[in-house]
Structure formats: C-alpha cells, structure tokens
Amino acid sequence: MRINYVEIWENCLKVIKDNIHHQSYETWFGPIVPVRLENNVLTIQVPSQFFYEWLEEHYITLLKKTIKKELGPDGRLEYSIIMDKSFEDDNPYTINIPTSNIKAIKNPSVSMPIDLNRGKSKDIPNPFIIPGLKKIKVQSQLVESYSFDNFVEGDCNRLARSAGYAVAESPGKTSFNPLFIYSNVGLGKTHLAHAIGIQVKYNFPNKTVLYVSTEQFIVQYIDSVRNNNQNDFVHFYQMIDVLIMDDIQFISGKEKTQDIFFHIFNHLHQKSKQLIITSDKAPIEMKGIEPRLLSRFKWGLAADLLVPDLETRIAILQKRLYNDGIEIPNDVIEYLAYSITTNIRELEGALISILAQSSLNKKVITIDLAKQMIDKFVKNTLREISIDFIQKVVCDYFNISLENINSKTRKREIVQARQLAMYFSKKHTKSSLATIGIHCGNKDHATVLHACKTVNNLIETDKQFRVYVEELDKKIKI
Ligand code: ADP
Ligand code: MG
C-alpha cells in the first residue's frame, strides 16, 4: 500500500501545531509543501535557504520526533529549498538537502517577518523581522524629521550632539560605546537618538539600525516568554549593528528584562556594535538597575542635554516655522521663547496651539494672542519663571533694552532695573545667587546679594518704588 506523503505531513503538522505557538506555526510551517516520500525519506519544500536554516535551528528536535513517530525509527527528513535566482537564468531552482546539515550551503539572504506583537502590544509597530544570513532587513523605526539637520545646536547640547555625530561617522569604533544620553523630558534625547540612527543609515546603508523604546522592548520580551521564543528575541537583537534604546529608565526594577538586555548588550559590545541609550537620569543616579548593567552604562560616554538658552529656544522655533513654511512675527517668537524655558516639547506645543488658534478663528497672530495661549497652555503645567523672562518684563516695564540691563553701565535707572531683575530672580526662581549673577550682566553672587538687600530697603522706604515692585511682581507672575 502506497503511503500518502501528504497525509503523513499533515499528521506531523498536527503534532507540531500542538507544540508551538500558533503564530510561529503559521510563519514557519504554513508555507511548507510536502513533495514526496521515498525510501522512508519525507521531502518537504521550503521557500528559502533561510527558512531551512531557521527550521533546523529552532524546530529540528520537534521535526525529528514527529517524523520518527510517523515513519518509524528509520524515517528521515529532507528539504527541497527554493533558492534565490541564479545569475544565468531567472528561474528559481531548488536544491535538496537532508536534515541537520546546516553548514552545507552558504548563500543568499532572505528575510521573513514574524509577528511577536500580540494583544496589548498591537499598536506598537513591530520591528521584529527576522534577519537572513548576511543581509538583514529590519524596520529601523526611525523618524525622518528627527534628523541632525533639524536638531538645533546650542551650548545645551554641544557635547551630546558632537559625540552623536562622531558615533554616526564610525559606529562601534569610537570610545563612545555605549553613548548614553540623558536629560529631563522634552529636551531632545529621542530626537538626537534618531538623528544618529538616520545619519548611520546615510553613511552606511548596509548597517542595520534599530530604534526601540524600552517599553516596546519590555513588551516584546514578555511576549517572547509567553510564546516561548526568547531565543528568537535575543537572536534578533544580537544581529543589530546600531541599537538605540530609548528611555532605559523604564527597565528599572524589571530584573528579567535587565538580564536579557545585559546579554544582548554584551554580545553587541563585544562585536563592536554600537549602542545608544537614553535615560532621564545620569547612570549614577539611576535606581533599580542591576549593578553589572549599570556599570556597563558607564563604559562609554554619558552626555547630558541641558535646558536650552534663550537664543537656542528662539532658533528652535524659527527652524520649526521655516520647515513648515510659516511666518509669524518675531516678537511672538521671542515671547514664546521667553515664557517657556524648561521643555522644548512644550515650547513647540505652545507654538502649534497658537498656529491652530489663529487658523481656526482666522485671527492674526499677535503677541496678545500668544499671551492668551501661553496663559492657558502654561498655567496648568505650572510654569517655571525664568531669569530671562524676568529680565524681559523688567526691561519692558522701564522701557530699556536687554543689552543695557546686561551691560556694564552704571546709569542709575539701569542699575536699578538690573537690581530688580536680580531681586525677582531670587524671589521667583530656584537659581543660586551665582547663577543669577551670571545671567544678569555677569556679576558675582555678592553683587546679587547686595541687589536684593537694596531692593528690600527701597521697598521699605520709597513708596513709588514699592508700587513699581508690586506691579512688576504681578506681571512676572501673570
Ligand atoms: P525627550 O526625548 O528628551 O523627551 P524629544 O527628543 O522628544 O525629547 O524632544 C521634544 C521635542 O523637542 C521634539 O519635537 C524635538 O524635535 C524637539 N527638540 C528637542 N531638541 C531640539 C533641538 N536641539 N533642535 C530642534 N528641536 C529639538
Ligand atoms: Mg524621549
């Protein structure tokens, strides 16, 4: 009696299906076509060499067991592999190869997608495209607009930016590995990390770059545990040339994920692959991270992004407007840059709200509109008053220029305005006397202290002066 090879294979599939996750089953076993059974050797056709290697690496035990169950102890398996197109003719050809002969052929590169995102993680784009042998196709998840071109340089980001640029020029080959970028929120970590990735892709199109948020990494890891394919997960990450992990602080307290990341980190680092890590804190200040992982964060360069100064904030707004082809009056830009100081995302958010308001209500963008928006926008985010802002309010009030207040001039009214700016900075900001001094005409802390005393004395003794101070105080607090 002729044994039906299709039936045999179907029986094997039933067993396999019960033993692996259905996604993996669909991915790796769905495309297989049984082709013949001769001399107790079952031949199955697989779509590519990569496919064959994947099966051999991950499912060989299961395959062997099921084959022996169906065909008896002598039963064997053979693959018929559809190879890449050859140079001479365009037809795909197949080669046959017995099982467990994985190193017999070396050739093409094919990539197969497998989906490890399930359930909750559906909305997260899936970077999980399993690589082929040489070339791997990975969705980098890079955002085009987060380029170096769009990243405005300033004192606040100079070190991180230039280190990032150096890394992009020779990934894995500088001593900045990992490159650890840290700052408070909204100061450009994600943007800079993408910029490096984009630049690497530009310089080295064949390098595999992957941007992944740490949250996404954690979800993928949990899924891989649930689906019992941690190995796939680790292998995937170990094949990346430039790995960008954003917001690593989310890994705090997650021991298992830290463990797996530790291994991926070591593997990549040993192979001189580049790691770029961002965090909301410097490595030494991080909590809930295993010491061995923490120590690795310190291996390369840790560079922080600071709050941008006024000029940089203005430049960022201008760049944004220029890119969008929008023009708005300079005083509005300045007003925004003065008012929002600690978070670039909020700065951009305020700009967008103003643009939206103006187009919705067909209002011209004026400083008044900006003020209204800022009031709404910033009040509920508890605006921090900045020294720059205080100076601007004081200057506007006395109708003098900013240059004047910060100059060396000893004209009485200027000195008084400067002293008021110092006094209010002490009152309304958390800045130290020294910092206030530096911002107010490069004076030392003693000068600031003296200014505060003088203003306090005048408030006590001079009625008119007290009125000034009260009015100014209102304006500063808006
Ligand atoms: P973080 O990751 O530190 O929270 P983001 O990278 O998301 O901050 O930056 C917030 C916003 O500010 C983004 O829209 C980003 O494009 C913008 N931004 C930050 N730094 C700069 C910069 N130096 N030049 C231009 N835009 C910037
Ligand atoms: Mg970010």
Side-chain angles (χ1 to χ4, degrees), residues 106-122:
K106 283 235 178 292
N107 189 30
S109 56
V110 182
S111 57
M112 284 300 304
I114 73 165
D115 184 6
L116 291 186
N117 283 339
R118 298 188 308 109
K120 276 188 299 194
S121 51
K122 267 266 155 51

Side-chain angles (χ1 to χ4, degrees), residues 86 152 231 277 284 351 376:
S86 65
V152 174
N231 282 346
I277 299 171
I284 22 172
L351 177 67
K376 273 198 213 138

Side-chain angles (χ1 to χ4, degrees), residues 318-341:
Q318 281 169 339
K319 178 115 215 164
R320 194 61 202 253
L321 288 163
Y322 178 83
N323 282 350
D324 295 347
I326 299 167
E327 275 184 38
I328 70 171
N330 268 337
D331 58 345
V332 174
I333 298 180
E334 279 176 22
Y335 183 80
L336 281 177
Y338 273 115
S339 312
I340 302 181
T341 56

